[in-house]
Amino acid sequence: MNAILVDQIRQSLVKVMKTMFNIKVEVSSDSGRDVADLSHGRSSRISFSGQISGSMVLVVDGQLINTMAENFMGSQPDGVTDDLANSTLKEALNMVAGDALTAMDKQAYTA
């Protein structure tokens, strides 16, 4: 996988989580290698094509996605339904992918 793209995805993830969900994220260098411990989490996948094509998967712990939904929608903890949690996860992935791909596109034009 393209190391520049991976780095940009990491930057976009940190940015989106802080800006949109008010959650500080630190990405380790070995992130993405082992998601077996997230069997109680939720996942979403988005595919994209163009100059850069592929798929991106976001796997989030069940409690974290509830916190994300609460922060994003202003919901109370007991107000987070499965549909809201799933929608929040999909929107988070869409924002991360959009931010990363836009940044990569801008880099291609300025390089």
Side-chain angles (χ1 to χ4, degrees):
M1 182 179 288
N2 182 323
I4 295 170
L5 177 58
V6 170
D7 184 55
Q8 184 58 59
I9 291 169
R10 287 178 177 153
Q11 291 177 40
S12 294
L13 176 65
V14 170
K15 176 182 169 183
V16 167
M17 291 297 288
K18 180 180 179 187
T19 304
M20 302 305 297
F21 300 101
N22 197 30
I23 296 173
K24 183 180 178 185
V25 174
E26 294 180 13
V27 182
S28 67
S29 61
D30 66 344
S31 61
R33 295 177 196 247
D34 184 14
V35 294
D37 60 334
L38 292 175
S39 59
H40 298 290
R42 296 177 189 257
S43 65
S44 185
R45 177 182 174 159
I46 190 169
S47 297
F48 46 91
S49 61
Q51 283 187 312
I52 301 172
S53 60
S55 295
M56 189 182 303
V57 177
L58 181 61
V59 181
V60 178
D61 174 77
Q63 183 57 45
L64 178 58
I65 193 61
N66 287 343
T67 301
M68 289 170 63
E70 292 166 19
N71 292 354
F72 188 58
M73 301 300 292
S75 301
Q76 298 299 318
D78 58 352
V80 177
T81 64
D82 280 345
D83 285 342
L84 180 57
N86 287 332
S87 294
T88 300
L89 179 60
K90 290 174 187 177
E91 186 59 30
L93 178 57
N94 188 47
M95 287 187 271
V96 171
D99 187 77
L101 294 172
T102 298
M104 292 296 294
D105 194 42
K106 286 179 183 177
Q107 288 177 20
Y109 287 108
T110 59

